[in-house]
Amino acid sequence: MSGLVKAKKYDWKDSNMALFGSDIDKGVKKESALTEKAWISVTNLSKGQQALFVWRIEKFKVVPWTLEDYGSFFSGDSYIVFSQRKNPENPDDMLQDVHFWIGQKSSQDEYGTAAYKTVELDTLLDDKPVQHREVQGYESNLFKSYFDSITIMKGGCDSGFRHVTPEKYKTRLFHFSGTGKKITVKEVSLDQKSLTPNDVFLLDQGLTIIQWNGKACNKDEKFKAVQYLQKLKSGRHGKCSSECLDDGDDDDSDEAKSFYSALNGTGGNDDDDDDDDDQTDQVDGSNAEKKLFRLSDKNGQMEFEHVTSGSVTKRDFKSNDVFIFDTGSEVFVWVGKGASPAEKKNGLSYAHWYLQNNSNPFKPVTVVNEGRESLEFRENLF
């Protein structure tokens, strides 16, 4: 594995990936899956029905996520997302994808449960879905396409977010940044230092929501913030009011005083030890050199070796093995039809290990089977 750069330390990466390499028989997994109530909504889908489901892991259980909160995730949690949609290359075919999403502060137990349950759901559906690993802030384009926007909030399932009245709602500051449809929404510290003139911010105080428009913000950020504000107000059944401020407005107005007094420079109500800057900066891998590795036990022990770099072609993949294909921006685990059981079981574990020793350990990971490769996979071949 020469040439790899040691990854920066991050506190959730060593979660229980051994679940993927266990010797649990598929039949046993399927029996377990048949008793999981969360999967009933999936198994009841008709063949041509398009659907999207989101679940959060709560104390080892798979709990349906409220529809109105689809696209919103807590950094302290892990989630499972299932999609069934029409195949753009064949209207008569349906594509299924199952993702597990890892919050930056998600516990090992939550992460491990999400990973295991993803495999369980895939097994229940006879391995038809494509499996994906997603990491907070580094989600794949496919994952992001399911939602109008992705909102990251501090806290987790123990934070009491659900069933809270507006009077007791925790004050939060949301940051809107980007252009077009690529607007990111992230909760940031209640601090004036969080404000940037290029973006838009929403101060959510429960009964009052204030939108602050930076001097150099764009119309897309403003529009997305207004959409988000209306969604918040709708969820509180008219019990809250809203105001709008522009950077440079009269700071003596009641709205400005209320806004700036909440940003007291101490981080406000932050109580979960989140650090807005503690995550590694995202690496744009679109121009990075592609790399292909082979996982094989043909010599009696598991070997992981470099195959080629640069122009990777379909001919480089052999049916008897498992391959790890790093495109620069994401990683694919390609499972050959003739791969051994051990190779199949260890593919995702080795991809995880590979990323731990990579300059960008947060890349999305997707498992594809020979003959059922996704369009995203094929687009990266030379």
Side-chain angles (χ1 to χ4, degrees), residues 271-286:
D271 57 8
D272 61 350
D273 268 342
D274 260 352
D275 182 348
D276 294 324
D277 298 320
D278 67 353
Q279 188 165 335
T280 309
D281 291 336
Q282 186 166 1
V283 178
D284 180 8
S286 58

Side-chain angles (χ1 to χ4, degrees), residues 332-348:
F332 291 93
V333 178
W334 185 89
V335 181
K337 293 179 179 179
S340 72
E343 291 168 350
K344 291 178 180 179
K345 286 188 295 185
N346 284 282
L348 197 49

Side-chain angles (χ1 to χ4, degrees), residues 216-235:
C217 71
N218 62 56
K219 60 180 178 60
D220 298 321
E221 293 165 338
K222 286 183 180 180
F223 180 71
K224 180 59 68 175
V226 170
Q227 278 188 322
Y228 195 83
L229 186 154
Q230 294 301 324
K231 178 181 176 181
L232 290 175
K233 291 179 68 175
S234 176

Side-chain angles (χ1 to χ4, degrees), residues 70-142:
Y70 276 24
S72 295
F73 302 91
F74 281 102
S75 62
D77 291 330
S78 289
Y79 298 76
I80 297 174
V81 175
F82 173 84
S83 166
Q84 179 168 290
R85 66 195 193 284
K86 291 183 179 178
N87 186 343
E89 298 180 320
N90 181 3
D92 295 328
D93 184 33
M94 300 296 291
L95 299 178
Q96 294 181 335
D97 294 87
V98 57
H99 309 247
F100 63 97
W101 183 94
I102 311 159
Q104 187 186 9
K105 299 295 182 180
S106 177
S107 71
Q108 292 186 3
D109 287 342
E110 291 169 328
Y111 172 92
T113 301
Y116 176 79
K117 285 294 186 178
T118 295
V119 176
E120 180 184 86
L121 178 57
D122 178 73
T123 302
L124 178 65
L125 298 174
D126 297 323
D127 297 327
K128 182 178 180 180
V130 177
Q131 298 176 45
H132 308 263
R133 184 199 77 157
E134 308 284 350
V135 176
Q136 175 187 331
Y138 298 84
E139 293 85 359
S140 65
N141 290 331
L142 176 62

